Amino acid sequence: MAKLNRLQMAWRAAQDLQEGMVVNLGLGMPVACSDYVPAGREIIFQSENGVISAGPLAAPGAADPDLVDAGSRQITIAVGGSVIDSTASFAMIRGGHIDVTLLGAFEVAANGDLANWDSRIPDKGPLVGGAMDLAASAKAVWVIMEHTTRKGAPRLLDRCTLPLTAPACVKRIYTDLAVLSVTPEGFVVHEIVPGVSQAELQAATGAKLHFAPDCGVLLSPDIADAG
Amino acid sequence: MAKLNRLQMAWRAAQDLQEGMVVNLGLGMPVACSDYVPAGREIIFQSENGVISAGPLAAPGAADPDLVDAGSRQITIAVGGSVIDSTASFAMIRGGHIDVTLLGAFEVAANGDLANWDSRIPDKGPLVGGAMDLAASAKAVWVIMEHTTRKGAPRLLDRCTLPLTAPACVKRIYTDLAVLSVTPEGFVVHEIVPGVSQAELQAATGAKLHFAPDCGVLLSPDIADAG
Amino acid sequence: MAIDKRITAVAEKLQGIKDGATVMLSGFGGAGFANTLILALRDAGPRDLTMVSNSATHLLGRTQVLIEANMVRKVICSAARGRGKELSPFEEQWKAGKIELEVLPQGTMAERIRAGGAGIPAFYTPAGVGTDLVKGKEIRRFNGRDYVLETAIEGDLALIRGDLADRFGNVTFRGTQANFGPAMATACKLSIVEVFATQAEAIPPERVMLPGVFVDHVLAVGGR
Amino acid sequence: MAIDKRITAVAEKLQGIKDGATVMLSGFGGAGFANTLILALRDAGPRDLTMVSNSATHLLGRTQVLIEANMVRKVICSAARGRGKELSPFEEQWKAGKIELEVLPQGTMAERIRAGGAGIPAFYTPAGVGTDLVKGKEIRRFNGRDYVLETAIEGDLALIRGDLADRFGNVTFRGTQANFGPAMATACKLSIVEVFATQAEAIPPERVMLPGVFVDHVLAVGGR
């Protein structure tokens, strides 16, 4: 069984980003996607603190503490980019001008419910950030997440057990085992990593899986994940 | 009886604008006020199409059709000014960031009701513009208007007869006969032009006038009104 | 293939505008009218349009060519009065009952358009409360003051005038060209901007006044 | 005497900030924190503050000095979680019931602040609908979708970081310094901006990012 590592998951999701799309990348695995966009494809990476078209991380020595993305990383502005304030940035998000938001998740339900903001850590304060605005209003919500918890419990469920970020919003899911979409019938599997059977994938999932007629193999290049 | 002409009325109102005030001037007599601000006093003249700090009209030959005020006049930007879009301009207006708006009026009532947008011209379309936003939200609404109609009927009334722009908003009125304020008790007269008695002013007014204890003489320099 | 929103002709881009569409036209006082695009829309000829424009009748803007061509079924504006005593083309058709009119306080109109682009379905505003203009609309009290509920306006097509544009669709404005343009671009399914000139090279970040995210096509027409 | 909003010391300007005041602090991810002004506010010492800031706990911003000084009664933010497993100063006081928390979707927070400065008492938004965060709030359906009613947030004091300012109070921002700053400036009775440098000469119109109309005082503190 060839589970993808975190960077490979980001790579796989990045392959589905199309020229000219306006894309918001969430913290964690999603932000790594910008490193794996196919060469020559121009994507507008929006960051909710007001960056329109974030470029690569700033080179050491050239980093500017006044220029950061929503993950507080010191970045650059891509050619053609600009900066707006928070109200304008969320007007853009809320108004449906983000083609895809790629978010991490704790759980996703078969109806597209997303839980990614409150994992119920005792005493730690809640962290909402921009996830609810993005999940509610992006044209498409895609999720990158491990298929199961570290203990092997499924994260793709009939119903979420954790507090929701937004109901019925997730359209596509990239896990370390498979690529799935959320349809009116529930989860549909489009690709599975080599060495995992449909039955094994179903066993790792907390909701009924449907398999696309052209369900294929989820392949990714070797990418070392130091993280 | 020394009625003020239109430019003298504008002059009188301009004397009450204080250093640093943010002031919006309506079409007609109000826009003339900017010509009569006492020397050395800096006023920020906002125009609702997005001009923050309009300067004088553009010189002939230097006029730029892309730079106009809300009266479609080709203007300049004053030192320290800038330009914003309509949504930002009305956010500024609606949010109470205009210290004074000086508007023309057909009628004002003793409770401060303002009627200045619909004079019921048959078949002509209605013209609201920014007056309702300004009247509803400026910190102070001042009016410049002739005391009576051309036929001598009063424009300062117990109740407006024309459709309202906003209720109970007017604070101060500059007419060709007097300077008045609107108080919880009704109209209070502060200055009257030479040669007009309190009784004559009352006779030209459609609501009871109160006279301030220090009611003075309304004087203005000679200004020729070509209009 | 890189992002390139520059076009050399607009007719084809307007073919998808159907009868009954809502069209937003920027412009205020002679500044910011996309007159080239408006004429192209007249030539495209969709009918029963709802026209959203600050004024139904402009002296310098060409908004009334759509009215004169009998393409407009409804006007949403803040100013519907033509200059002078004779009736404007809008007033003629309005008087004859051929055009419906929704007249709004200018700030309410601007904010409703912004709301349309910003995912806000409705908001409360003080403008117009206590006047005939809000008859039939919901009034609600917050902190001891009455406000009127106003809903978002969205459109099918925005025709906007700017100064410069780059291949990403980033736009700058001169003077007071912007006025309703940026908000209209956010509120419409298809947003086209005519500019003095276009360039392949990106406009510097700090000079961008309307981000290309909100713009579909830019057309250089000269005429600064 | 001309308009001049430049100040050389801020302590006196903060004397009017009373116990129970609402204070807005700009800043996001290390950019745009008015750390000099925040320390001055700590020294001024008003108590029972409501602190409006994107994050209750910043690594690079000094927002938590107000919390550590026991000056904050309530926090309105979108992020209340400290990094690492140990509790942040905010989390300690929150856990102990000493600080009330109102956590909002970041866009809702930004729009509520904008509304406070723009004379909009309330608006509807889709963010948070169907989640625990909108419990007790009014839900209303527009065009077949549910939205939540959110009200404006206004403040007594905004402390903002910019780059350059002129005597009119016009401000520019570098990089992503702006974030919540411009909206906060519009929403507060008193708005103070610390900048790298001030100048008597006016900032050119096309470079102004926060108009001086919304700014009461500007203080040069260096530190670019």
Side-chain angles (χ1 to χ4, degrees), chain C residues 32-158:
Chain C
F33 289 94
N35 285 332
T36 304
L37 299 178
I38 293 169
L39 293 176
L41 180 62
R42 182 198 56 190
D43 295 343
R47 303 183 70 84
D48 294 325
L49 299 178
T50 294
M51 181 179 105
V52 182
S53 174
N54 184 59
S55 181
T57 302
H58 285 104
L59 288 179
L60 299 164
R62 298 279 175 78
T63 56
Q64 43 188 13
V65 303
L66 304 181
I67 290 169
E68 289 168 334
N70 298 309
M71 291 163 60
V72 178
R73 183 186 57 78
K74 179 178 179 180
V75 169
I76 301 177
C77 68
S78 85
R81 185 180 307 158
R83 301 215 179 181
K85 285 188 180 169
E86 60 290 2
L87 301 187
S88 68
F90 163 77
E91 287 166 325
E92 291 284 5
Q93 293 197 28
W94 174 58
K95 181 185 168 187
K98 291 180 183 167
I99 291 188
E100 183 187 345
L101 172 64
E102 181 174 356
V103 66
L104 297 168
Q106 194 175 138
T108 298
M109 180 172 147
E111 189 71 8
R112 287 181 66 182
I113 295 167
R114 176 190 183 270
I120 303 287
F123 60 91
Y124 291 91
T125 177
V129 170
T131 78
D132 298 346
L133 234 59
V134 302
K135 270 183 185 160
K137 291 181 173 175
E138 175 186 319
I139 304 292
R140 184 162 171 175
R141 185 162 279 249
F142 294 93
N143 303 316
R145 186 173 181 189
D146 283 341
Y147 296 85
V148 57
L149 182 70
E150 296 282 359
T151 55
I153 305 177
E154 293 177 69
D156 299 292
L157 174 67

Side-chain angles (χ1 to χ4, degrees), chain A residues 1-4 177 192-197 200 216-220:
Chain A
M1 170 163 99
K3 275 193 185 182
L4 302 191
L177 298 179
I192 313 178
V193 293
V196 173
S197 69
E200 285 166 332
V217 180
L218 171 47
L219 293 173
S220 102

Side-chain angles (χ1 to χ4, degrees), chain A residues 25 29 47 52 58-59 70 88 111-113 129 137 140 157 159 163 187 207 219 224:
Chain A
L25 303 176
M29 285 180 278
S47 196
I52 299 175
N111 70 344
D113 285 359
S137 298
L157 305 169
R159 288 181 68 104
F187 292 122
L219 293 173

Side-chain angles (χ1 to χ4, degrees), chain B residues 2-226:
Chain B
K3 273 194 187 183
L4 302 192
N5 66 30
R6 295 161 54 90
L7 295 182
Q8 288 174 313
M9 292 159 68
W11 176 88
R12 179 60 193 86
Q15 304 316 300
D16 289 347
L17 299 176
Q18 301 304 315
E19 175 100 330
M21 274 186 170
V22 182
V23 177
N24 183 293
L25 302 176
L27 304 189
M29 284 180 279
V31 288
C33 288
S34 59
D35 295 336
Y36 302 115
V37 174
R41 213 180 273 180
E42 284 189 327
I43 310 284
I44 310 288
F45 288 111
Q46 199 260 10
S47 195
E48 63 264 35
N49 61 324
V51 183
I52 298 175
S53 219
L57 293 181
D64 182 344
D66 288 334
L67 180 53
V68 298
D69 69 6
S72 302
R73 306 179 314 157
Q74 295 178 350
I75 58 163
T76 55
I77 301 289
V79 173
S82 57
V83 178
I84 53 182
D85 80 347
S86 296
T87 57
S89 178
F90 280 95
M92 182 180 284
I93 291 168
R94 204 186 309 100
H97 305 284
I98 306 296
D99 293 306
V100 174
T101 185
L102 261 158
L103 298 171
F106 303 130
E107 298 174 344
V108 174
N111 69 344
D113 284 359
L114 170 66
N116 82 344
W117 74 279
D118 184 355
S119 58
R120 293 194 171 132
I121 307 170
D123 299 331
K124 294 295 285 181
L127 174 60
V128 179
M132 286 192 183
D133 306 271
L134 285 159
S137 298
K139 282 185 202 156
V141 178
W142 297 357
V143 161
I144 305 184
M145 63 191 295
E146 267 123 18
H147 208 93
T148 61
T149 67
R150 289 180 191 181
K151 295 180 179 173
R155 292 174 178 274
L156 278 64
L157 304 169
D158 273 325
R159 288 181 68 105
C160 292
T161 65
L162 291 168
L164 292 192
T165 306
C169 62
V170 177
K171 294 280 184 296
R172 209 179 281 190
I173 307 163
Y174 301 89
T175 79
D176 46 353
L177 297 179
V179 176
L180 309 92
S181 61
V182 178
T183 72
E185 288 69 44
F187 293 122
V188 173
V189 181
H190 299 278
E191 297 178 8
I192 313 178
V193 293
V196 173
S197 69
Q198 294 191 356
E200 285 166 334
L201 189 71
Q202 178 64 72
T205 308
K208 177 163 173 51
L209 294 179
H210 305 267
F211 292 86
D214 59 348
C215 185
V217 179
L218 172 45
L219 294 173
S220 102
D222 286 338
I223 308 173
D225 183 1

Side-chain angles (χ1 to χ4, degrees), chain A residues 19 42 79-81 92 94-95 97, chain C residues 1-3 117-118 167 170 186:
Chain A
E19 176 99 329
E42 284 189 327
V79 173
M92 182 180 283
R94 202 187 309 101
H97 305 285
Chain C
M1 199 185 87
I3 295 170
R167 70 176 174 92
N170 293 313
T186 69

Side-chain angles (χ1 to χ4, degrees), chain D:
Chain D
M1 200 186 87
I3 296 170
D4 197 344
K5 299 187 176 182
R6 294 172 296 169
I7 56 174
T8 53
V10 73
E12 184 199 342
K13 307 298 183 187
L14 295 173
Q15 283 175 3
I17 303 303
K18 298 199 174 67
D19 292 355
T22 294
V23 177
M24 299 194 183
L25 307 176
S26 70
F28 190 108
F33 289 95
N35 285 332
T36 304
L37 298 179
I38 294 170
L39 293 178
L41 180 62
R42 182 199 54 192
D43 294 344
R47 303 184 70 84
D48 294 326
L49 300 177
T50 293
M51 180 178 106
V52 182
S53 173
N54 184 58
S55 181
T57 303
H58 285 103
L59 289 177
L60 298 165
R62 298 279 175 78
T63 55
Q64 43 188 14
V65 303
L66 304 181
I67 292 170
E68 288 167 334
N70 299 308
M71 291 162 59
V72 178
R73 184 187 56 78
K74 179 177 177 179
V75 168
I76 301 177
C77 68
S78 86
R81 186 180 305 158
R83 301 217 178 180
K85 286 188 180 169
E86 63 288 3
L87 300 188
S88 69
F90 163 77
E91 288 166 325
E92 290 284 5
Q93 293 197 28
W94 175 59
K95 181 185 168 188
K98 292 179 184 167
I99 291 188
E100 184 186 343
L101 172 64
E102 181 173 356
V103 67
L104 296 168
Q106 193 175 140
T108 298
M109 179 172 148
E111 189 71 7
R112 287 180 65 182
I113 295 168
R114 176 188 182 271
I120 303 288
F123 61 90
Y124 291 90
T125 177
V129 170
T131 77
D132 298 345
L133 234 57
V134 302
K135 268 184 187 161
K137 290 182 174 175
E138 175 185 318
I139 303 293
R140 184 162 170 175
R141 185 162 280 248
F142 295 93
N143 304 316
R145 185 173 181 191
D146 285 340
Y147 295 85
V148 58
L149 182 70
E150 296 281 359
T151 55
I153 305 177
E154 293 177 69
D156 299 291
L157 174 67
L159 300 181
I160 293 159
R161 169 83 192 190
D163 190 42
L164 298 177
D166 65 22
R167 69 176 175 92
F168 297 93
N170 292 312
V171 174
T172 70
F173 296 97
R174 289 186 76 227
T176 55
Q177 276 184 327
N179 57 75
F180 288 85
M184 288 175 167
T186 69
C188 290
K189 293 189 185 75
L190 180 69
S191 296
I192 308 178
V193 184
E194 67 168 61
V195 290
F196 170 70
T198 58
Q199 58 188 53
E201 187 189 9
I203 292 168
E206 66 278 7
R207 293 287 295 127
V208 173
M209 299 169 85
L210 171 60
V213 168
F214 300 114
V215 175
D216 295 290
H217 308 297
V218 295
L219 177 71
V221 301
R224 187 189 279 171

